[in-house]
Amino acid sequence: MRGAAGESAIPVRGAGGLKQPLPPLAESDWRTGVAAAERLVQPPAPVREGKPATARAQRAGTRLYAIDGIRIAAALMVAVHHFAGTNRSNQPGNIIWDRPVSDIMPNVFRVATYGWIGVEIFFVISGFVICMSCWGRTPRQFFVSRVIRLYPAYWFAIAFTTAVLVAVPGVWERLRLREILLNFTMLQSGSGVANADGVYWTLWAELRFYLLFMIVVAAGLTYRRVVIFCCAWGAAAMLAPVSKFPLLVLVANPEGAWYFIAGLALYLMHRFGQDLLLWGILAMSWLMGQLEIGHRIDSVEHVSSWRGAVLIFTVFLLVMVGIALGMTDRIRWKWLVTAGTMTYPLYLMHYAAGTALINRLHDTMDPRLLVVAVIAGFLVLSYLVHRFVERPVARLLKKGLDTSFARLRNAGNTA
């Protein structure tokens, strides 16, 4: 996720280096109505909380360890929810525990019912990190970075999950071979084909966000353009449900748009400082987000309360505001970097394979110990996947893609 679920906030060193906050407009910029309109979305004055603009620009390129911590916490929330907090796992004769999980471990169930909010947290972090990591990059660099980040672990996860479902039959229905092969493209949702693992639905939302944001990357990321993108996308997301126009709904992604928009606004706060416009975008994101949270509870989850879920989401946004404003800059625990690298593989692999394993082992040990053991096993596997699959395959993919784009560029200069 990312996606997911997403990636760590890495130093931003684009082709043009770190971008500086925009200076205040001169009096001559008021000569036309266009210039006056542009002033409305300029960043605030170059000094905030006693810190010069250059210091903020330097901080905008540093790694944010706290985001790595939030990412791994969100991934663990989702895993615990899938293992011990879903409506499916609380039904008599369910495929995971064979009896309601609320009867087996009621306290764990009550907490785990809220773990699904980790997906919304992933989406907000994705908006923040994508804006941060591609600032100053070209569309080609953005495309390559997304491919090498998303696909290596995803390809392994499909092969791993399929192998587990073959070895542990009777829990989840396996897709046909041609459907599994199509899943390797990550475009199966657009082709009307089921996901090899149910959690992959979030990748479709991430991909649509990337395609939309590519427009801004191609134009060149600036404070003004990102703000306009947030407002335009938000308007489309509000209009899409009532338009009854499938293409608009597909592109606008009203179920996830406002979470990504919140992340974008938070990054602008981080890079340029806070202002009323950014607070307004964030407030609108919260208002629309709480509505979507209610819809998800009513239509999908059925296990948690709206108040509890909104409280968790609100606390998370406030923590992200603290990160954006530099309140967590002193957090530099190296182990968070390692934990952050495990987030994406953990998310991709835990659900179908993990619940299949619990189905076979739930009578062999205490259920709480079993949940801990399964999650611990997937954490170890996720680290190994990152170390021995993601990193080497990403290097090969980057080398191959860079060569391909160089050939494409050179071919355009020849007859």
Side-chain angles (χ1 to χ4, degrees):
M1 294 252 320
R2 284 150 110 227
E7 62 192 51
S8 299
I10 60 176
V12 182
R13 303 290 178 189
L18 286 170
K19 302 295 183 183
Q20 300 297 327
L22 298 176
L25 288 179
E27 289 298 325
S28 59
D29 291 330
W30 287 76
R31 295 177 179 176
T32 66
V34 174
E38 289 182 353
R39 187 178 186 277
L40 295 177
V41 290
Q42 292 288 347
V47 175
R48 177 181 59 81
E49 297 177 358
K51 297 182 180 180
T54 53
R56 290 204 309 273
Q58 291 172 358
R59 186 168 62 84
T62 60
R63 188 183 191 100
L64 299 176
Y65 292 79
I67 285 189
D68 288 308
I70 294 176
R71 288 176 57 221
I72 191 62
L76 292 173
M77 287 171 59
V78 173
V80 172
H81 173 69
H82 284 152
F83 294 160
T86 62
N87 184 55
R88 171 180 287 163
S89 67
N90 202 41
Q91 300 302 313
N94 67 81
I95 61 174
I96 303 173
W97 297 98
D98 195 41
R99 58 195 179 101
V101 70
S102 60
D103 293 344
I104 303 172
M105 39 184 172
N107 292 332
V108 174
F109 174 74
R110 279 193 289 270
V111 174
T113 55
Y114 292 96
W116 58 269
I117 200 70
V119 171
E120 280 66 25
I121 292 174
F122 281 140
F123 287 162
V124 175
I125 292 175
S126 181
F128 187 104
V129 172
I130 292 304
C131 194
M132 182 178 192
S133 63
C134 68
W135 202 279
R137 289 189 177 186
T138 65
R140 177 187 63 81
Q141 291 171 324
F142 177 59
F143 173 80
V144 171
S145 70
R146 294 301 87 211
V147 170
I148 66 176
R149 179 67 183 95
L150 293 180
Y151 278 96
Y154 175 72
W155 289 334
F156 179 88
I158 292 174
F160 170 78
T161 298
T162 301
V164 170
L165 296 187
V166 169
V168 187
V171 181
W172 297 104
E173 182 179 353
R174 285 185 286 120
L175 301 181
R176 291 173 291 184
L177 178 60
R178 61 178 177 267
E179 295 172 328
I180 293 174
L181 292 176
L182 184 62
N183 266 253
F184 281 90
T185 68
M186 206 181 285
L187 303 175
Q188 62 273 9
S189 295
S191 302
V193 172
N195 294 304
D197 190 316
V199 299
Y200 297 168
W201 71 268
T202 61
L203 300 177
W204 183 235
E206 292 274 356
L207 286 176
R208 286 178 285 167
F209 166 50
Y210 298 157
L211 288 174
L212 282 177
F213 201 61
M214 178 77 80
I215 299 172
V216 193
V217 175
L221 290 180
T222 65
Y223 173 92
R224 172 178 174 271
R225 287 170 181 160
V226 176
V227 166
I228 291 175
F229 173 81
C230 290
C231 296
W233 191 16
M238 285 190 289
L239 294 173
V242 297
S243 70
K244 309 297 183 182
F245 185 37
L247 181 59
L248 180 59
V249 173
L250 177 67
V251 173
N253 185 18
E255 296 83 7
W258 286 102
Y259 304 119
F260 294 113
I261 290 171
L264 294 173
L266 286 163
Y267 179 69
L268 291 180
M269 284 187 183
H270 173 69
R271 189 176 188 89
F272 296 106
Q274 57 183 307
D275 61 31
L276 185 58
L277 181 58
L278 295 180
W279 279 110
I281 294 174
L282 189 61
M284 181 64 75
S285 299
W286 182 88
L287 289 169
M288 299 302 295
Q290 62 83 26
L291 180 65
E292 290 301 327
I293 285 172
H295 289 164
R296 182 167 173 181
I297 291 172
D298 294 340
S299 61
V300 179
E301 302 300 337
H302 306 296
V303 286
S304 53
S305 73
W306 172 84
R307 289 182 178 84
V310 171
L311 176 62
I312 294 171
F313 181 64
T314 303
V315 170
F316 159 71
L317 282 185
L318 292 175
V319 171
M320 285 297 297
V321 169
I323 293 173
L325 300 183
M327 298 178 184
T328 62
D329 286 355
R330 293 185 178 181
I331 297 178
R332 297 183 179 273
W333 305 326
K334 299 296 184 181
W335 64 268
L336 288 176
V337 179
T338 303
T341 62
M342 297 188 294
T343 301
Y344 185 51
L346 173 64
Y347 178 78
L348 292 175
M349 294 186 295
H350 79 277
Y351 181 47
T355 50
L357 292 174
I358 291 174
N359 171 270
R360 292 296 190 268
L361 300 174
H362 63 73
D363 290 330
T364 64
M365 65 180 74
D366 181 87
R368 291 161 294 189
L369 179 60
L370 177 58
V371 170
V372 171
V374 171
I375 291 177
F378 275 105
L379 284 171
V380 173
L381 178 60
S382 298
Y383 174 77
L384 295 176
V385 169
H386 171 72
R387 179 68 178 81
F388 297 107
V389 177
E390 276 193 298
R391 288 167 58 179
V393 175
R395 284 194 295 267
L396 291 175
L397 277 176
K398 186 178 188 307
K399 182 178 179 181
L401 288 171
D402 287 343
T403 301
S404 299
F405 277 110
R407 172 180 288 182
L408 185 63
R409 183 173 60 253
N410 294 334
N413 297 327
T414 61

